[in-house]
């Protein structure tokens, strides 16, 4: 299982763009990169997933360079409600795939 | 949007008692998981379940834990003799199966807060 490394915490202000980078140097060929969001006392929620280049949905964008050893979750114009813990996961959805969570990045958005 | 539902939302139990946490996964999902999160700590994997049997389990999932899919919709986690350190949020999750493999997008329930006193 590829190990992931991301900042423990980040601070931002309302209206700013936030970029959270995750390192996964040992990513395997079949691995996808998946990001989850977790609010206090709630279960993790899937945000976005990608394999390479760029993926965008209504919530976020995910940038993956050609070597796939890192990825960046981009949250445009954050609001106070984006304050949460963001997790980067790497895995291939194999028969025994287990979403495995690290410490994540605690994002605090200030007024 | 389909969702995973868990009951109860809160459970208080005395040490040594048995508890059953219930989950209704999304109807067309075939991979099920249980996780726990002790306050202030990370989300920890307990067990995965597929094709009516345990697929993987962690070191945390010892003999006091068991899982069951008693019917076509429910997925339960039983803790036989609760200990103080079992106090945590317990999350159920489910995912689709595509090509015989679990999808990397898992859907989580809102959790059951278990307090052992």
């Amino acid at each position: 299982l590829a190990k992931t490394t991301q900042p423990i915490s980040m601070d931002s202000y309302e209206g700013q763009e936030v970029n959270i980078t995750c390192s996964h140097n040992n990513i395997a060929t079949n691995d996808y990169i998946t990001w989850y969001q977790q609010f206090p006392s709630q279960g993790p929620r899937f945000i976005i997933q990608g394999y390479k280049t760029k993926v965008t949905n209504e919530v976020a964008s995910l940038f993956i360079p050609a070597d796939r050893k890192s990825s960046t979750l981009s949250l445009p114009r954050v609001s106070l409600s984006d304050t949460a813990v963001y997790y980067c996961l790497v895995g291939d959805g194999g028969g025994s795939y287990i979403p495995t969570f690290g410490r994540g990045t605690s994002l605090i958005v200030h007024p | 949007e389909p969702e995973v539902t868990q009951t109860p939302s809160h459970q208080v139990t005395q040490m040594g008692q048995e508890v059953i946490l219930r989950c209704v996964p999304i109807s067309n999902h075939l991979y099920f998981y249980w996780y726990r999160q002790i306050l202030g700590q990370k989300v920890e994997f307990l067990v995965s379940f597929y094709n009516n049997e345990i697929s993987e389990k962690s070191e945390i999932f010892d003999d006091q834990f068991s899982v069951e899919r008693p019917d076509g919709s429910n997925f339960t986690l039983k803790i036989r003799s609760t200990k103080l350190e079992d106090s945590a949020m317990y999350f159920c999750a489910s995912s689709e199966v595509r090509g015989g493999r679990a999808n990397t997008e898992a859907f989580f329930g809102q959790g059951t807060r278990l307090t052992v006193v």
Side-chain angles (χ1 to χ4, degrees):
Chain A
L1 199 66
K3 179 174 161 47
T4 60
T5 303
Q6 50 183 127
I8 293 173
S9 64
M10 293 182 72
D11 288 87
S12 183
Y13 292 89
E14 284 191 292
Q16 289 190 334
E17 178 184 78
V18 171
N19 296 307
I20 306 173
T21 296
C22 177
S23 297
H24 27 81
N25 290 318
N26 297 323
I27 190 167
T29 303
N30 294 332
D31 285 345
Y32 282 78
I33 300 153
T34 311
W35 285 80
Y36 285 81
Q37 172 192 58
Q38 186 183 28
F39 299 115
S41 297
Q42 293 190 27
R45 183 176 76 103
F46 171 89
I47 302 176
I48 197 166
Q49 177 178 274
Y51 183 79
K52 60 181 178 180
T53 64
K54 177 184 173 183
V55 180
T56 297
N57 62 20
E58 64 276 7
V59 175
S61 294
L62 179 59
F63 298 91
I64 305 168
D67 66 5
R68 303 201 327 122
K69 293 183 183 299
S70 67
S71 58
T72 299
L73 176 73
S74 181
L75 304 172
R77 296 180 299 281
V78 293
S79 64
L80 297 177
S81 63
D82 292 315
T83 294
V85 179
Y86 293 83
Y87 301 95
C88 162
L89 280 67
V90 172
D92 71 351
S96 59
Y97 174 69
I98 300 163
T100 303
F101 293 84
R103 290 278 178 198
T105 297
S106 176
L107 172 67
I108 298 176
V109 180
H110 303 276
Chain B
E1 185 179 310
E3 59 180 17
V4 174
T5 56
Q6 292 185 240
T7 55
S9 55
H10 293 87
Q11 173 96 43
V12 180
T13 189
Q14 288 199 326
M15 194 168 52
Q17 295 294 306
E18 175 183 286
V19 294
I20 297 176
L21 310 183
R22 292 183 165 78
C23 170
V24 179
I26 293 172
S27 61
N28 64 331
H29 288 186
L30 298 177
Y31 247 95
F32 314 124
Y33 308 87
W34 281 103
Y35 289 79
R36 78 170 186 193
Q37 186 173 33
I38 296 170
L39 187 64
Q41 299 190 24
K42 62 181 184 179
V43 178
E44 299 176 291
F45 167 74
L46 293 179
V47 65
S48 61
F49 191 88
Y50 173 64
N51 205 23
N52 285 317
E53 61 182 17
I54 290 174
S55 179
E56 299 280 342
K57 60 181 181 179
S58 73
E59 291 178 353
I60 302 169
F61 193 86
D62 61 21
D63 291 344
Q64 71 163 330
F65 292 94
S66 62
V67 290
E68 193 178 28
R69 185 148 165 86
D71 53 43
S73 59
N74 291 285
F75 179 53
T76 62
L77 174 70
K78 181 192 291 186
I79 309 175
R80 251 179 285 281
S81 178
T82 50
K83 298 180 275 210
L84 295 176
E85 54 264 37
D86 294 327
S87 295
M89 283 287 284
Y90 287 81
F91 296 109
C92 173
S94 69
S95 66
E96 289 180 303
V97 171
R98 292 180 183 172
R101 297 152 71 93
N103 189 10
T104 49
E105 178 182 353
F107 291 75
F108 284 76
Q110 292 296 345
T112 293
R113 181 176 300 282
L114 176 66
T115 302
V116 182
V117 296

